[in-house]
Amino acid sequence: MRCYILVLFINLTLLFPFSGIAQTVVLEDDFEDEDITTSPSWAGDTENFTTFDDSGNNLLQLNAADAGTSYLSTTSAAAYGSWEFFIRFDNFSLSGSNNVTVFLISDIADLTGDVTGYALVAGESGSDDVFELIRYDQGVPASTILTGTTVVNGGGDYQIQVTRNSNGEWTLSVASGYGSIPTAEATGTDNTHTTSSYFGFMPEYTSTRSDRFFFDDITVTKAPIELASVKVISNLELRISFTDNLNPSTVESTDFAVDQGIGNPTGISVEGNVVALSYNTPIPGGDYTLTVNGISDQSGTILPSNTTIDFSLFDTFLDGDIVINEFMYNQPEGLAEYVEIYNTTTKQFNLTGWKLGDTNEPTSISSDTLILKANEFLVIATDTTTLFDAFGTRNYVEMSSFPSLNNSGDAVRIYTATDLLVDSLSYSPEWGGDNRSLERRSPTTSATYEENWGPSPDPTGGTPGLPNEVVEDIQPSQVTGYEIMDAQTLLIFFSERVTNNSAGNTLNYSLDGGISISNAISMEPDTVQLQLNSSLQNATNYTLTLSGVEDIFGNAINSFQLNFTYYEISEAESGDLFVNEFMFDPPGNATEYIELYNPTQKSLNLEDWTLNDNTGSQKVITHTRYVLPPDSFVVLAPDSSLLNVYPEFSLVVMGNSFPSLNNSGDDIVIRRADGLLLDSLSYNSDWDGNEIALERRT
C-alpha cells in the first residue's frame, strides 16, 4: 500500500465581523434576571458568585468568603466565531495572586481540571500586565497565541471581543470603560483545537480581593459551519474536518465528491466534527478538489452549497521512479555546480527531507514542502542565481549544503527522507564533463555505467531543467572477437557492455555440428563464456549464430554468425613434421625460404619452436601461438615478399631471426620449444639449388 503526505490549500477565508453571513448566538447572559442557574445554567463554584446592582445594571460578582480559585462554566459550542464580554477589576492591581482566566473554549465543565482549549488571561505580567490568549493542552499552558497591548495592571473596566476564523486566525479587541467599542490590538494563529463544549470564568484571588472581580454582557456567537481541512490517511481514506460538530443524520456519501473522476466515497463515518471518507479503489497521487454539499451542524446551520477544498496526494517512491538525469561537476567560471533529477513516472512526490551527497554524509535538500510532479525535472544547486542568469527560468531549488563535486572524480547520491537510496553513481574525469554537464542517455539504464553518460552537446554547456540532448545509443553491441578456452569452452567478446539476462540466455546462441550450448555465463562488462555439451573436434570448421543479446540500452543483436576453426593442439614428436622445401640461392631479388609440412592428423603449435643453420644459433620461429593444421604447409621467411607472388601461402615472417642459408652449403634444423629435434638436413652446392628451390621427394 502506498503512503501519502498532504499539502493543503483552503479556498475559504472567513474574516470577522461576519457581515452578510448568518451567525448563531450560542451563549448570551447580561445577568439582569439575577439568576445563574437557568437561561443559561452556570455550574461550578456557584456559591462564590452573586449578582450586583450597579446603578440599575446587574453584574456578575465574585463573592467568596476567603482566598482561592473559583469558576463558573456553561455550555458553548462555539469553536469559531466571536466572544464578547465585560470585565472589571475593581480598584486593585493584578498579580500572580489576583488574576483571571476566561476560557473561551473548553472541552470540560470543570475549568480547574485538565482543560483542552483556549483562554484569555490577565494578571501574570507585573506592571506591564496585558491580556494574553493561551492554548491549553490537557490543563497545561502550551502556547501563547497573541499578546494584547492595553495595560490592565492597575485594574479598571474593559470591554473585550475575541474572534477566530476557520483558518485559526485570532483577533483580540479591547476598550477601556463600560459600553466602549473595542478596537483590534493583537492577532495570532492557532488551529490546534477545533471543537468546544464550554465557556467560563476562573478568577484567582486573595482574601482582600475575593469580591472585586465583575463580569457582564456575555455574548458568544458561533460562526457558520465551514470546511476546515483535509487529512490524507492513505490513498484509500481521507479525513475531513469541519469547524463545528456535525449533525450525523445530514451526512451522506453523496455529499462528498473528488474531481478527476474519483467521485463519491464508498463509505463514510462521522465523529464530532470529522468525517472519514473511504474508497475501494486507491486514489493516485496528484492535485485534487473536494466538493461538499448538504452538511449541517448540530444547530442546523447548513454548509454553503458547493464548498470546495484543494488537497494533494503524494505517492511513495519506488525504485526507478526518480533518477539522476544530469550533473555538472567541472563548471565554467561563473556557473554553479548542479545535480538534476527527473521524475520518470506519472506519480507525484513530496521530496521534503530528501538528501543529496557525494562520498561524504548526505544532507537535506530542503526542509520545506518540495513537490516533484509527474515527468518533471528538478535542478539542485548551491547558487541558483547563476543558473538563472545562464539558462533562464527552470525548476530550481537552492541547497545551502550542496556537496562540492570534485573534478578528480566523486560520487553523486540521492536518498529519501527515510535514507532509502534513490539513485547513485561514481564518476571520473574519463567520463568527460570539462566545462559542461554530463547528460544521461537512458533513465532506465543504471547511472553507474559510464556508457550511459555523455557531455552535453548544448552550446550553453548543459540543459538543466530540460530534456537531455546527448545522443541516445540505438545500435546493438557488436561481436569483436572470440577465444577458444578448451574443447568445450568459448569466450565471446562484445564491443560494449551487454545485459546479464540476455547474455546468459542459452537460447540466444546456436552452434552447428550437432553441438548445443549447455550454459552461458555473462562476465561483465563485455564478455560471455559459452559452455558446450560436447567437445569440439580437431581441425573442424564451426559457425556460431547469435541473436537477442542486448546491450545495456536494450538494443538487441538481430543475427550474427561467427565462423571459426577448432584445433586440438598436440605435442609434436620427431617425424611428425619435416622440411619439405627450401630455397637457399633465390634468383634476382627473391627471398630465401623454408617450407615445413605436417603430414599427421595432429594440430601443431609452432610457438617458441626454433630454427638454426650450421652456426648452431637457435632462433625462435614465432613467440605467439601459430597452429599448423593436419596435412598442411607453412613457409618460414625473413620477410613477406613471397605473398606478392603466392598470396595463398601460410607464411611466418621471422625477420632478422631467419638464418642466411649459405650457397656453398649449410644446415637446417627444426626443434620443439623444449629442444627436441623434429627434423634436420645438411646440404651443399652439389645439391643443385642454384636459383631454384629444392623439394623433398618423400
Side-chain angles (χ1 to χ4, degrees):
M1 177 180 290
R2 298 173 179 169
C3 295
Y4 293 80
I5 304 173
L6 171 68
V7 171
L8 180 63
F9 307 91
I10 301 178
N11 66 351
L12 300 176
T13 302
L14 182 62
L15 300 176
F16 296 94
F18 313 100
S19 57
I21 301 177
Q23 307 297 303
T24 302
V25 176
V26 296
L27 173 61
E28 191 171 26
D29 200 344
D30 58 8
F31 303 104
E32 293 304 318
D33 61 1
E34 302 181 15
D35 184 2
I36 62 173
T37 62
T38 59
S39 301
S41 175
W42 295 87
D45 300 311
T46 56
E47 69 279 7
N48 291 338
F49 290 88
T50 187
T51 57
F52 171 75
D53 186 348
D54 183 17
S55 302
N57 178 43
N58 285 336
L59 307 177
L60 176 69
Q61 179 186 15
L62 173 67
N63 189 25
D66 204 350
T69 299
S70 299
Y71 78 91
L72 286 181
S73 67
T74 189
T75 58
S76 170
Y80 299 87
S82 173
W83 295 262
E84 299 179 48
F85 52 90
F86 167 79
I87 190 167
R88 172 183 292 169
F89 308 115
D90 189 17
N91 295 318
F92 69 90
S93 297
L94 298 175
S95 67
S97 300
N98 291 285
N99 55 76
V100 67
T101 302
V102 181
F103 280 96
L104 311 178
I105 294 174
S106 174
D107 65 329
I108 58 176
D110 183 359
L111 303 184
T112 64
D114 294 338
V115 175
T116 292
Y118 298 91
L120 194 69
V121 300
E124 299 290 342
S125 302
S127 60
D128 294 329
D129 198 6
V130 294
F131 289 106
E132 293 182 313
L133 181 65
I134 307 295
R135 188 184 85 228
Y136 281 79
D137 296 344
Q138 295 183 327
V140 178
S143 176
T144 299
I145 310 306
L146 58 80
T147 300
T149 58
T150 299
V151 177
V152 298
N153 180 66
D157 293 356
Y158 300 97
Q159 292 287 156
I160 307 295
Q161 183 189 47
V162 181
T163 63
R164 182 195 193 189
N165 67 17
S166 61
N167 295 325
E169 297 167 351
W170 296 81
T171 301
L172 168 65
S173 299
V174 180
S176 297
Y178 185 88
S180 301
I181 299 176
T183 58
E185 64 180 38
T187 60
T189 301
D190 190 286
N191 220 9
T192 305
H193 306 313
T194 60
T195 60
S196 177
S197 298
Y198 297 92
F199 169 91
F201 300 96
M202 188 172 70
E204 181 182 3
Y205 46 86
T206 61
S207 59
T208 59
R209 304 290 185 261
S210 62
D211 59 353
R212 310 289 285 278
F213 289 82
F214 296 85
F215 308 92
D216 197 13
D217 296 334
I218 301 165
T219 303
V220 178
T221 303
K222 183 172 73 66
I225 182 174
E226 293 190 56
L227 203 168
S229 65
V230 175
K231 182 177 182 180
V232 178
I233 305 304
S234 73
N235 63 331
L236 294 172
E237 182 180 357
L238 305 177
R239 197 160 292 174
I240 316 303
S241 296
F242 295 85
T243 57
D244 204 348
N245 290 336
L246 302 176
N247 180 352
S249 65
T250 68
V251 182
E252 299 178 353
S253 60
T254 53
D255 297 331
F256 304 87
V258 176
D259 65 347
Q260 301 186 45
I262 304 303
N264 308 121
T266 54
I268 63 171
S269 64
V270 182
E271 183 175 348
N273 67 326
V274 176
V275 181
L277 310 182
S278 58
Y279 297 82
N280 287 340
T281 302
I283 304 174
D287 298 326
Y288 296 96
T289 297
L290 172 70
T291 301
V292 185
N293 282 291
I295 304 297
S296 66
D297 62 18
Q298 293 181 345
S299 64
T301 304
I302 300 175
L303 185 75
S305 298
N306 296 317
T307 297
T308 62
I309 188 169
D310 298 329
F311 65 96
S312 294
L313 286 173
F314 297 117
D315 294 285
T316 297
F317 167 79
L318 298 176
D319 188 33
D321 286 346
I322 296 175
V323 299
I324 301 169
N325 196 58
E326 182 179 343
F327 65 100
M328 180 174 282
Y329 69 91
N330 189 7
Q331 75 277 21
E333 185 176 354
L335 196 62
E337 296 176 345
Y338 65 82
V339 172
E340 176 197 82
I341 59 177
Y342 171 54
N343 181 358
T344 67
T345 73
T346 58
K347 303 176 185 178
Q348 182 165 265
F349 301 100
N350 183 4
L351 308 189
T352 303
W354 281 38
K355 301 170 186 176
L356 170 65
D358 52 7
T359 55
N360 297 314
E361 189 73 18
T363 55
S364 176
I365 298 171
S366 174
S367 58
D368 297 329
T369 299
L370 184 60
I371 301 174
L372 187 62
K373 295 185 177 181
N375 303 121
E376 188 176 49
F377 300 93
L378 177 65
V379 183
I380 308 164
T382 187
D383 182 2
T384 57
T385 301
T386 62
L387 298 183
F388 174 82
D389 293 341
F391 302 108
T393 302
R394 308 284 167 84
N395 189 21
Y396 301 124
V397 60
E398 192 159 286
M399 178 180 172
S400 59
S401 55
F402 187 91
S404 178
L405 302 178
N406 299 323
N407 293 353
S408 59
D410 211 336
V412 181
R413 299 178 294 156
I414 302 285
Y415 293 88
T416 68
T418 57
D419 295 322
L420 177 67
L421 181 64
V422 175
D423 201 9
S424 67
L425 60 93
S426 294
Y427 66 87
S428 66
E430 287 72 25
W431 285 32
D434 186 15
N435 288 324
R436 57 188 52 249
S437 72
L438 287 174
E439 296 182 348
R440 188 170 183 157
R441 300 185 192 278
S442 169
T444 58
T445 300
S446 174
T448 60
Y449 299 140
E450 178 182 351
E451 301 96 316
N452 201 21
W453 296 90
S456 173
D458 193 274
T460 62
T463 58
L466 296 178
N468 292 343
E469 296 179 1
V470 67
V471 177
E472 295 182 27
D473 187 321
I474 59 174
Q475 297 297 324
S477 182
Q478 304 295 313
V479 176
T480 59
Y482 70 96
E483 182 177 344
I484 302 174
M485 302 297 292
D486 56 49
Q488 290 186 252
T489 309
L490 303 178
L491 290 182
I492 310 300
F493 305 110
F494 295 89
S495 59
E496 58 182 320
R497 193 182 303 265
V498 292
T499 64
N500 289 337
N501 288 341
S502 66
N505 187 352
T506 58
L507 298 178
N508 290 335
Y509 311 91
S510 64
L511 187 63
D512 62 358
I515 300 176
S516 62
I517 311 299
S518 61
N519 197 14
I521 303 172
S522 178
M523 305 172 66
E524 286 192 316
D526 55 7
T527 304
V528 176
Q529 182 186 97
L530 300 181
Q531 297 174 350
L532 313 180
N533 71 334
S534 57
S535 297
L536 300 170
Q537 299 303 303
N538 181 39
T540 303
N541 297 325
Y542 294 96
T543 298
L544 176 68
T545 302
L546 299 85
S547 63
V549 178
E550 297 180 353
D551 64 14
I552 58 174
F553 301 102
N555 304 310
I557 297 175
N558 183 27
S559 181
F560 178 81
Q561 290 187 332
L562 175 65
N563 299 312
F564 66 94
T565 303
Y566 172 68
Y567 297 103
E568 182 179 352
I569 303 301
S570 299
E571 192 78 277
E573 302 293 342
S574 295
D576 284 347
L577 174 136
F578 54 81
V579 178
N580 191 59
E581 181 179 334
F582 66 98
M583 171 83 75
F584 68 85
D585 186 14
N589 294 324
T591 185
E592 297 177 346
Y593 68 84
I594 299 170
E595 179 189 76
L596 305 180
Y597 174 54
N598 174 12
T600 72
Q601 293 304 305
K602 299 178 180 179
S603 293
L604 307 178
N605 181 11
L606 275 60
E607 184 177 0
D608 292 333
W609 287 14
T610 62
L611 165 66
N612 66 270
D613 57 5
N614 60 10
T615 64
S617 178
Q618 298 177 12
K619 303 297 184 180
V620 174
I621 296 173
T622 176
H623 288 287
T624 60
R625 175 185 170 95
Y626 187 93
V627 177
L628 186 60
D631 190 27
S632 63
F633 302 87
V634 64
V635 176
L636 312 180
D639 56 49
S640 60
S641 59
L642 287 173
L643 295 177
N644 296 329
V645 182
Y646 307 103
E648 73 281 2
F649 271 14
S650 295
L651 180 69
V652 174
V653 177
M654 295 181 59
N656 293 332
S657 294
F658 188 88
S660 177
L661 302 178
N662 298 322
N663 292 351
S664 59
D666 213 333
D667 295 340
I668 299 176
V669 182
I670 305 297
R671 296 181 185 274
R672 212 168 62 184
D674 60 359
L676 178 69
L677 179 64
L678 298 176
D679 195 20
S680 67
L681 62 88
S682 294
Y683 69 88
N684 58 51
S685 58
D686 294 339
W687 286 31
D688 196 18
N690 185 26
E691 296 188 353
I692 192 170
L694 293 176
E695 298 179 346
R696 188 166 186 154
R697 298 184 188 278
T698 59

